[in-house]
Amino acid sequence: HDCSSEPGVILSDSSAADTKRPQFGTRFLTDPRQVFQHNAWDNVEWTEEQETAAKKKVSENSQPLPTEKQEEYDSRANEYWNDFYTIHENRFFKDRHWLFTEFPELAPRCSLNHESHPGVCGTDDVQQNGLDEEQCSEAASLPHTDGDFPGSSATYRILEVGCGVGNTVFPILKTNNDPGLFVYCCDFSSTAVELVKTNPEYDPGRCFAFVHDLSDVEANYPIPSGSLDVIVLIFVLSALHPNKMQASISRLASLLKPGGVILLRDYGRYDMAQLRFKKGRCLSENFYVRGDGTRVYFFTQDELHELFVGAGLEKVQNLVDRRLQVNRGKQLTMYRVWIQCKYRRALVQPS
């Protein structure tokens, strides 16, 4: 199944979810003459001609920049992202309300009617059975900040890597009232982390924001190995140098509990953004530098699969999401391509 868009995406690879899904992900273009009737169309199939034209466009602009220029973008990546957040602050970003449709792992698991959400919970018995009312109110009164590390007393731990100004973290904190929840979030940019911490919705009893460079595998996380239920990577892995991706994913995988998942959404090969790059912006194959100095890679499903499997994880989901966006004023059509993945750490680790 493919389909849709940041910020309003609906995707699924299970028929059960299809019956309950909101209308947004089900607008299909059957008559090409109607293309300008709406702003967006879901599940767009590409023709062979389109694919060929996209490949040609990419190969025309694929002359890589000189090595010293590439090294400069690598060594100054931190400055470029800080500048990006300084310029845009909170204006550029929308909260990702599609999150819970796509990634129910982020939604509340603990409800007071003694039900937990099947397929969403953690792995031990307490979580499987849900928490009873007494446990819920008791846990709610405990801040999860005492103990060996922030969130050490929490029963469900989520880490978002590359959190930006909090457009995933704050919807999770607002929507997920599970008293056992603790959310960690980190970003390469100290400017972004500062914006998260100064947001009035930042609650140090339920959340811990810190500066971290995902590509630096020597850098420590403030959480022990095997302690996370969910790790979220939304449009962040693509900002790393391709040579650093495998080690970074393997490092993250080590933080997951058995049964824990990594959730990813990122740019797919031949996305409109890739086809729009002019000559002189290519760093290496399918890896580019934007005008503001930030970098972006465009993935295939297989490349992402190899990275996750290389980190010892097993596939739950790996979807391409193609969406046709339309500018009705200018009568332009634009094709977006994203990839959405869920990969799990096995419940029983191979010996």
Side-chain angles (χ1 to χ4, degrees):
H1 294 261
D2 5 324
C3 98
S4 70
S5 145
E6 153 94 331
V9 69
I10 306 294
L11 258 177
S12 163
D13 64 355
S14 75
S15 50
D18 287 347
T19 55
K20 291 183 290 209
R21 112 178 359 181
Q23 284 314 105
F24 187 83
T26 51
R27 185 181 285 155
F28 306 120
L29 180 62
T30 48
D31 178 358
R33 290 168 303 183
Q34 294 184 330
V35 66
F36 294 109
Q37 298 293 311
H38 294 287
N39 292 327
W41 300 93
D42 299 305
N43 251 8
V44 181
E45 292 296 326
W46 278 36
T47 62
E48 251 176 77
E49 290 85 342
Q50 260 178 300
E51 188 97 8
T52 308
K55 281 180 184 163
K56 183 169 180 284
K57 185 127 181 57
V58 165
S59 68
E60 282 167 7
N61 300 342
S62 61
Q63 191 59 42
L65 286 168
T67 313
E68 61 274 13
K69 203 79 187 128
Q70 300 214 28
E71 283 167 2
E72 181 195 327
Y73 287 121
D74 202 52
S75 59
R76 294 181 59 196
N78 187 290
E79 286 170 54
Y80 292 125
W81 280 109
N82 276 335
D83 291 347
F84 173 84
Y85 287 112
T86 303
I87 293 161
H88 296 293
E89 285 192 356
N90 291 331
R91 289 185 297 276
F92 185 71
F93 314 96
K94 293 190 184 84
D95 283 353
R96 295 168 165 143
H97 295 297
W98 51 265
L99 270 176
F100 306 103
T101 317
E102 293 314 312
F103 297 140
E105 295 82 356
L106 305 174
R109 302 164 315 115
C110 162
S111 54
L112 297 180
N113 58 3
H114 309 297
E115 282 177 27
S116 61
H117 299 242
V120 176
C121 288
T123 53
D124 51 87
D125 296 337
V126 180
Q127 288 165 306
Q128 292 283 323
N129 299 335
L131 300 176
D132 66 31
E133 210 159 328
E134 202 175 313
Q135 285 172 302
C136 267
S137 55
E138 201 177 294
S141 61
L142 292 172
H144 296 301
T145 46
D146 47 350
D148 311 332
F149 60 97
S152 57
S153 62
T155 53
Y156 199 72
R157 302 189 192 94
I158 297 171
L159 164 67
E160 188 192 10
V161 182
C163 62
V165 298
N167 300 90
T168 298
V169 168
F170 293 121
I172 292 171
L173 290 170
K174 254 188 284 195
T175 307
N176 193 333
N177 54 7
D178 179 345
L181 172 74
F182 196 88
V183 182
Y184 307 88
C185 57
C186 62
D187 202 281
F188 191 29
S189 161
S190 52
T191 308
V193 172
E194 205 43 49
L195 285 165
V196 170
K197 286 180 159 176
T198 52
N199 188 308
E201 289 174 26
Y202 182 73
D203 174 0
R206 301 179 70 214
C207 185
F208 181 72
F210 58 100
V211 177
H212 189 88
D213 176 1
L214 170 62
S215 69
D216 179 2
V217 289
E218 299 302 310
N220 282 326
Y221 284 91
I223 20 191
S225 295
S227 59
L228 294 173
D229 293 276
V230 182
I231 296 172
V232 187
L233 294 162
I234 297 179
F235 298 104
V236 63
L237 189 62
S238 51
L240 261 60
H241 192 288
N243 294 351
K244 296 179 177 175
M245 289 177 185
Q246 183 65 72
S248 303
I249 291 292
S250 297
R251 178 78 184 87
L252 286 176
S254 72
L255 297 175
L256 289 173
K257 293 176 181 174
V261 287
I262 293 186
L263 310 176
L264 171 138
R265 190 169 172 78
D266 221 322
Y267 297 102
R269 190 73 43 88
Y270 310 134
D271 178 56
M272 172 186 89
Q274 181 175 15
L275 304 185
R276 280 184 166 179
F277 276 108
K278 305 277 186 280
K279 288 187 174 139
R281 290 270 146 216
C282 185
L283 295 168
S284 58
E285 223 173 312
N286 304 301
F287 189 46
Y288 301 82
V289 60
R290 301 184 182 97
D292 61 7
T294 62
R295 298 172 301 171
V296 59
Y297 187 84
F298 296 87
F299 292 100
T300 65
Q301 285 172 285
D302 288 346
E303 286 171 347
L304 285 164
H305 182 72
E306 294 302 316
L307 287 172
F308 288 121
V309 169
L313 304 178
E314 49 190 38
K315 181 175 102 169
V316 178
Q317 183 188 71
N318 184 326
L319 307 172
V320 177
D321 173 359
R322 295 179 200 273
R323 189 165 170 73
L324 171 58
Q325 290 181 343
V326 175
N327 181 326
R328 289 194 268 182
K330 295 184 180 170
Q331 298 277 295
L332 288 176
T333 56
M334 300 160 285
Y335 288 88
R336 302 310 318 249
V337 183
W338 291 296
I339 297 177
Q340 182 165 301
C341 293
K342 300 182 188 186
Y343 280 76
R344 180 188 288 128
R345 186 174 178 183
L347 272 172
V348 181
Q349 293 305 298
S351 53

